[in-house]
Every structure is written in structure tokens, then in C-alpha cells.
Amino acid sequence: MENSSPFTHLDSKGQAHMVDITEKQITSRTATAQSLVSFSADSFTKLTENNPKGDVFAVARIAGIQAAKRCAELIPLCHSLALSNVTIDFNLLPDTHQVQVLACCKLAGKTGVEMEALTAASIAALTLYDMCKAFDKGIIIEHTCLLEKTGGKSGHWQRASS
């Protein structure tokens, strides 16, 4: 029965189902996502200079990698993927007191890694919040989005610059 729903995870009757990827081709796939974490000026200074919590970014990086690896356990109907690489990078934006969290996931497989990258960026950002909440509960996490993906039937996609 063909799926007439625009939602890939709903069948023609509107019932949730896992997408069947059995017949899809294995291709190299990547996805890069971001989360933006905004701090007060004082908190940004504490985070980036002589942080009493140690290497906050190392902890957040590990959390993001773990999140990507466990994505299928967190999001219903996600396929369990054998990731070949996950990177988490932090770009410090001192003029705006922000940290841009970038998560990139790669694999050779039958389905994309967008959800893994988005989950990794989100959890790394949440970990930054957790590590800094003792001195700033006003931290804002925003602009979590997919920046770019490659591979699969839809090919290359990149977010337009805003």
C-alpha cells in the first residue's frame, strides 16, 4: 500500500510506522547541525577564562557524541545507525557572548544522519547549560537547526544564509 501522507513516518491510514529502508542503496551520508548557546557577558567570561568547572567543552563534546550514538533510543522510529564519525566543535562568539555548537555525523548507510546531528548539537548545548547553571540560570539555547546534509536520494542540501 502506497503512502499518501507527506509525513514519512505515517502510513496511508495515519498510523505511525518505521520507514522501510531495506531496498535503499548504501551511500556516504553526512549531516551538520548547530545549536546556539547565549550567555550573559559575565557568564561567557567565566566559561571561557579560568573556568572553575574544568574543561566544560570536553564534557559537552563527549555528551554530544554519546547522544548521536544513542539517537535511536531517544527518538521513536529512528533507525539504529552504525556511525563512522561524530565531531562536536565549539565556536566562541565573544561579541554576542554565544557559543555555536556544531555537530557533524557521518556514515555509509541507507538512511540519513540528520537526527543524529541535531540530537548531538542539542545535548552538547544542554550540557553547557548544565555545567554553567550554577552561576547563570538565564542561559538561552536557540537556533538548533540542520545546516547541511549530503548523500541519499535527495543529495546535497544546505541551509541558505540568513
Side-chain angles (χ1 to χ4, degrees):
M1 178 177 270
E2 189 167 312
N3 185 1
S4 59
S5 172
F7 299 98
T8 57
H9 290 83
L10 298 178
D11 66 15
S12 59
K13 296 178 184 172
Q15 298 173 336
H17 73 102
M18 187 177 223
V19 174
D20 184 355
I21 61 171
T22 306
E23 301 303 319
K24 290 177 90 177
Q25 296 299 310
I26 294 174
T27 63
S28 177
R29 298 165 184 263
T30 66
T32 302
Q34 78 161 9
S35 282
L36 207 55
V37 187
S38 300
F39 297 85
S40 68
D42 182 54
S43 295
F44 187 83
T45 299
K46 285 180 183 170
L47 174 67
T48 57
E49 297 174 11
N50 301 320
N51 188 331
K53 290 244 184 187
D55 192 347
V56 171
F57 295 108
V59 175
R61 179 174 288 111
I62 292 167
I65 293 168
Q66 284 299 108
K69 292 167 57 176
R70 300 187 75 159
C71 186
E73 296 174 35
L74 301 169
I75 299 177
L77 308 177
C78 261
H79 292 88
S80 182
L81 302 179
L83 297 170
S84 57
N85 191 36
V86 178
T87 59
I88 309 290
D89 292 308
F90 303 98
N91 293 325
L92 301 180
L93 309 171
D95 292 344
T96 56
H97 311 117
Q98 295 176 310
V99 176
Q100 179 192 40
V101 179
L102 289 172
C104 182
C105 295
K106 296 179 182 181
L107 62 66
K110 295 183 175 193
T111 190
V113 290
E114 296 90 341
M115 295 312 301
E116 288 71 14
L118 286 161
T119 300
S122 298
I123 295 299
L126 285 167
T127 302
L128 289 178
Y129 184 99
D130 185 46
M131 298 289 289
C132 299
K133 70 181 185 283
F135 54 83
D136 185 359
K137 292 181 180 33
I139 298 165
I140 298 170
I141 299 170
E142 57 190 342
H143 300 298
T144 299
C145 61
L146 183 67
L147 297 177
E148 185 174 19
K149 60 87 53 198
T150 65
K153 187 169 67 173
S154 63
H156 182 251
W157 178 89
Q158 187 168 10
R159 178 167 300 284
S161 298
S162 45

